[in-house]
Amino acid sequence: MTASTTRRTTATRSRLAAVASIAVAGALILTGCGDQTKDNGSDSSETSAAPLADKLPQAIRDKGVIRVGSDIAYAPVEFKDDSGKTAGIDPDLAAAMGKQLGVKFEFQNATFDTLIGGLASKRYDIAMSAMTDTKDRQEGIDGDTGKKVGEGVDFVDYFTAGVSLYTNKGDAQGISTWDDLCGKTMAVQRNTFSHDLAKDQAEKCKKDGKGTLKIEDFATNPEAETRMRSKGADVVSADFPIAAYSVKNAGGGKYFEIVGDQVEAGPYGIAVAKDNTELRDALQAAVQAIIDNGEYKKIIEKWGVADGAITEAKINGGS
């Protein structure tokens, strides 16, 4: 499946969009069950034998584990496969990084809206969960109120993705752009970038007098999809890789269809607490190493998302 990206300006942000396409492969979406489900995402070598091990904080080297907060219900980025193992783009990238750093990445399941708080409370060392790197998240700003609500996080960017709309198959209801959402009901995972865009669009619909965009937010994307399947919502928004995966796999490809172009392409980032700069820099070095040695390309191509690949692991590259 191929989709292009258009530029869309909201009241709070404007991003450059990029052309992207995806040929998604895999199994049916399976959600993680319960918080703190643990999976070792790496078969890494001993710390002493890893080329970048000395870049890690000593405490992590001693443990041999990086604890990863993740919403493991967002295929194909991270999800539970048929055997119950954590699978997807992020676990595969983490395993490759683990070889460079000499540690295991231990994925722990949580809802997306608790991940940054989990970093602040030191429940996790990092959050890796298709999280868009934005200035608000970097600075700890609540996007709705504009007020500072936390210390913010640093990001190590590792992928690029836009946002898509999808509906029940054969029931697009005339939706092809975000302006077509006025008068509709959207289901969306809360506190995601899609949720932010939906709230911006709702304000635009109200300002333009074109009808109300009703937003229903859920803890996970599969819950939002279930709401749409039951006709409780007209449309779902999610990052394009996730939308395309659902369209291809849910109901054997019979449930959903993407409508219109993806918008607002931006970087996914690995989130790290502001005071953990040593770990942040080690992760940046590891991402760059797997880009340079070709492992990154193999993983991205395996999941059919090559158009979202990056060539440089930047820190806080989001806007």
Side-chain angles (χ1 to χ4, degrees), residues 64-134:
V65 170
I66 292 176
R67 298 167 302 165
V68 185
S70 188
D71 176 14
I72 310 175
Y74 213 50
V77 184
E78 49 262 318
F79 63 102
K80 295 288 186 178
D81 66 15
D82 290 325
S83 69
K85 180 181 178 182
T86 301
I89 299 166
D90 283 357
D92 282 358
L93 291 175
M97 293 164 62
K99 295 174 185 176
Q100 297 294 318
L101 296 167
V103 294
K104 292 183 178 181
F105 283 69
E106 183 180 84
F107 279 74
Q108 302 181 3
N109 195 25
T111 56
F112 186 82
D113 56 355
T114 66
L115 295 180
I116 289 180
L119 288 178
S121 66
K122 302 190 183 304
R123 187 175 190 176
Y124 318 117
D125 300 307
I126 66 174
M128 191 174 185
S129 191
M131 187 177 290
T132 303
D133 173 1
T134 67

Side-chain angles (χ1 to χ4, degrees), residues 275-318:
D275 61 358
N276 209 346
T277 56
E278 190 176 6
L279 176 57
R280 179 201 67 192
D281 293 346
L283 292 169
Q284 181 192 29
V287 174
Q288 192 61 54
I290 65 173
I291 291 172
D292 294 342
N293 71 14
E295 287 187 86
Y296 176 89
K297 181 181 179 181
K298 290 178 182 177
I299 292 166
I300 296 301
E301 289 180 345
K302 167 189 170 181
W303 290 102
V305 292
D307 285 340
I310 62 167
T311 58
E312 180 184 0
K314 295 181 179 179
I315 292 175
N316 295 333

Side-chain angles (χ1 to χ4, degrees), residues 168 216 218 223-233 256:
N168 287 320
E216 296 189 1
F218 297 87
E223 289 176 278
E225 292 178 348
T226 298
R227 180 63 169 164
M228 183 170 67
R229 281 277 298 153
S230 68
K231 306 293 186 178
F256 307 127

